[in-house]
Amino acid sequence: MKSLTKVKVGNKLNSNNESFSYIKNSDVEIYNILQKEVSREDNTLELIASENFVSYPVLEMAGGVMTNKYAEGYPGARYYGGCEHVDEAENLARDRAKKLFNCEYVNVQPHSGSQANMAVLMTFLNVGDTIMGLDLAHGGHLTHGSHVNFSGKLYNSVSYYVNKDTGRVDFNSVRSTAKEYKPKLIICGGSAYPRHIEFEHFREIADEIGAFLMADIAHPSGLVAASLHPSPMKYCDIITTTTHKTLRGPRGGMIMMGKDIENKWGIVAPKSGRTKLVSELLDSTVMPGIQGGPLMHIIAAKAIAFNEALQPDFKVYAQQVIDNAKTMSEALLSKDYKLISGGTDTHVVLIDLSNKNVTGKVAEQSLEKAGITVNKNMVPFDKRSPFVTSGVRIGSPAITTRGMKQDEMVKIIDFIDEIITNIENESVIDKVKTEVQSLCSSFPLYSELHN
Ligand code: DSN
């Protein structure tokens, strides 16, 4: 992987060697806010499992002129003129994604993972149909059927759970709930699940009841791309992902199919009504079904990120992401922390703080004061509300992009433990904060952006 600090960049420096000079000269108010965020990202340890740092080329493209272009439609069939170059960019993004994930169909237009999931649900289901996903508190996602989300409001949603002892998906629960409620669509994957998603087991159960199977690989998609997590392509009818987590691209979503499938269910497309292939249905649900103009600057930035992920050094990065998460897990276990599922196979570590008598909320706040960014997270069978929680989720993608390895992971867990065992002790927080800043300064981020 190219070091972020060595790739030449994006946001051009002016003659005074200042970055963001155009913003500074035209709008100092937002410039000051931007500078604070640049500094925050540089001087804190980003342990939110769903975040990462894009390369300079991705950053440059995401801030580029393609933001100006309206391109409703798809390459070769747009509703606007002047689309020849954005067509090329979208085709390139699709081709690279197909190569990266070894799949036949890709739609790179979803603005986010939630929109990708919405497009799938709206393609395959009628309002009121039953869906089944992993319960939110057990590691699922809002769009997998939570009652506060469209997926739980428009559809009849039932959940499966993890096993209380193992912290892993309980396939007895998946099978019995599937047989009882006969969901039309089963969703596998989640946002706080530290283990591999077992696509094959889900496929068996989906086949037993004749359900569609959707995989949401938003979290591990970079690991899937690097062949360090099983691929869903063979087992799942539809696959969705975000592009900005372990995949390290710009913020956005994507829908894939290993093989396009014939529309044998007679589903009618929202606009065209053409019903031959599921790919046509999905495209037409994304646009005009739920979105208008695609974000062409982001689609072009996705193309860059996919190309980066196709390079051999991305696999080295992805392996380091896993090694770093495993090192953090082992260091936490050695300090008597309780981990959901006892560890990790991926980039995610979910810590249950109950035995430390600290809530997720307080831990998140104290760690943030020390410059360590995590998110409070429900743990399976949590008795606390989502606003308080008993756990925190940590992850390794962003700190690995900065170049940190196992030695740094051990230090980071020492910092976290010092804060948790001296919770809300301001002098300990100050001491750790100094150490965090010193560690961050050894792994500078976007150094070209500094004045
Ligand atoms: N917000 C994402 C995460 O943190 O995992 C899921 O959408």
Side-chain angles (χ1 to χ4, degrees):
M1 178 187 60
K2 274 185 193 146
S3 154
L4 285 176
T5 54
K6 287 191 189 128
V7 185
K8 198 58 187 157
V9 200
N11 291 278
K12 287 199 180 68
L13 308 178
N14 69 4
S15 51
N16 297 327
N17 212 24
E18 280 178 332
S19 54
F20 307 121
S21 57
Y22 293 101
I23 304 172
K24 185 179 183 184
N25 291 335
S26 67
D27 188 339
V28 78
E29 210 175 344
I30 197 75
Y31 171 81
N32 289 337
I33 294 170
L34 174 63
Q35 286 297 61
K36 283 189 278 184
E37 177 59 11
V38 169
S39 166
R40 188 196 69 80
E41 292 188 15
D42 204 13
N43 293 311
T44 58
L45 288 168
E46 183 52 76
L47 295 185
I48 292 182
S50 49
E51 294 189 18
N52 211 329
F53 300 113
V54 297
S55 71
Y56 280 118
V58 170
L59 200 58
E60 188 169 36
M61 186 58 89
V65 296
M66 287 196 193
T67 192
N68 298 326
K69 190 72 199 95
Y70 247 124
E72 278 167 303
Y74 289 95
R78 306 281 190 186
Y79 292 83
Y80 293 84
C83 288
E84 63 268 40
H85 305 305
V86 293
D87 276 6
E88 287 178 301
E90 185 163 346
N91 280 330
L92 193 57
R94 294 202 292 204
D95 290 345
R96 287 175 174 177
K98 284 179 194 170
K99 192 167 169 200
L100 186 61
F101 288 98
N102 192 19
C103 59
E104 199 171 286
Y105 165 82
V106 173
N107 186 314
V108 291
Q109 291 196 5
H111 302 328
S112 68
S114 292
Q115 296 240 252
N117 290 351
M118 180 182 249
V120 172
L121 267 54
M122 290 188 70
T123 298
F124 286 95
L125 306 170
N126 294 312
V127 169
D129 281 346
T130 301
I131 61 169
M132 182 172 88
L134 179 59
D135 184 78
L136 189 57
H138 286 229
H141 186 255
L142 281 170
T143 55
H144 298 182
S146 163
H147 70 279
V148 297
N149 181 263
F150 80 90
S151 57
K153 288 178 193 276
L154 297 182
Y155 305 102
N156 175 38
S157 148
V158 293
S159 300
Y160 57 89
Y161 301 92
V162 298
N163 178 288
K164 200 165 187 170
D165 299 324
T166 65
R168 296 177 188 239
V169 167
D170 179 347
F171 281 95
N172 292 328
S173 146
V174 180
R175 180 170 274 107
S176 63
T177 308
K179 292 207 158 153
E180 184 175 351
Y181 294 97
K182 301 267 185 311
K184 199 164 164 189
L185 180 85
I186 297 176
I187 304 171
C188 56
S191 57
Y193 189 67
R195 297 296 178 175
H196 285 167
I197 310 165
E198 295 168 278
F199 305 114
E200 203 171 342
H201 289 336
F202 282 104
R203 178 77 264 167
E204 281 165 23
I205 294 169
D207 284 346
E208 285 169 26
I209 59 158
F212 294 112
L213 180 59
M214 170 184 137
D216 179 344
I217 60 165
H219 264 268
S221 56
L223 311 181
V224 172
S227 305
L228 296 172
H229 182 292
S231 168
M233 292 303 160
K234 210 162 79 183
Y235 301 108
C236 301
D237 301 303
I238 307 287
I239 296 95
T240 60
T241 185
T242 54
T243 45
H244 50 270
K245 297 187 173 88
T246 49
L247 195 49
R248 214 174 54 185
R251 186 162 297 280
M254 176 159 83
I255 306 172
M256 299 173 275
M257 281 191 288
K259 284 226 169 302
D260 198 354
I261 30 183
E262 203 184 324
N263 174 22
K264 55 186 184 216
W265 306 277
I267 309 167
V268 177
K271 184 157 185 292
S272 64
R274 286 176 300 157
T275 58
K276 272 196 276 181
L277 290 171
V278 166
S279 56
E280 291 176 13
L281 301 169
L282 282 166
D283 282 350
S284 128
T285 310
V286 172
M287 206 304 296
I290 60 169
Q291 290 189 175
L295 309 175
M296 292 315 308
H297 56 308
I298 297 298
I299 289 173
K302 286 174 184 171
I304 295 176
F306 299 152
N307 191 44
E308 289 174 354
L310 281 163
Q311 306 310 312
D313 53 7
F314 187 80
K315 188 162 184 163
V316 177
Y317 162 72
Q319 184 63 60
Q320 190 66 52
V321 164
I322 297 170
D323 293 346
N324 282 352
K326 282 186 189 289
T327 302
M328 288 199 285
S329 290
E330 282 152 21
L332 284 161
L333 289 170
S334 75
K335 293 179 188 299
D336 194 32
Y337 284 83
K338 207 174 141 207
L339 304 184
I340 303 307
S341 85
T344 184
D345 298 327
T346 64
H347 59 296
V348 177
V349 180
L350 186 55
I351 311 168
D352 180 350
L353 292 168
S354 308
N355 64 337
K356 302 285 179 180
N357 292 319
V358 175
T359 66
K361 182 180 175 185
V362 169
E364 178 190 303
Q365 286 167 347
S366 294
L367 288 165
E368 183 162 2
K369 282 191 195 166
I372 301 173
T373 316
V374 305
N375 65 281
K376 60 181 171 296
N377 213 100
M378 302 272 279
V379 296
F381 309 99
D382 208 324
K383 293 191 174 63
R384 294 193 169 98
S385 82
F387 301 104
V388 180
T389 82
S390 299
V392 291
R393 183 187 65 164
I394 63 174
S396 54
I399 46 176
T400 306
T401 295
R402 290 184 83 142
M404 296 183 189
K405 297 202 166 113
Q406 283 88 332
D407 286 352
E408 288 75 39
M409 298 305 116
V410 172
K411 272 190 202 155
I412 290 169
I413 297 308
D414 284 345
F415 296 156
I416 291 177
D417 183 51
E418 224 174 326
I419 299 288
I420 300 291
T421 51
N422 297 281
I423 201 77
E424 292 175 315
N425 178 328
E426 295 297 330
S427 61
V428 171
I429 289 173
D430 285 346
K431 174 186 152 286
V432 172
K433 186 174 181 177
T434 308
E435 290 168 340
V436 165
Q437 285 186 349
S438 160
L439 178 60
C440 289
S441 66
S442 304
F443 295 88
L445 188 62
Y446 299 130
S447 58
E448 282 89 343
L449 297 183
H450 296 291
N451 293 337

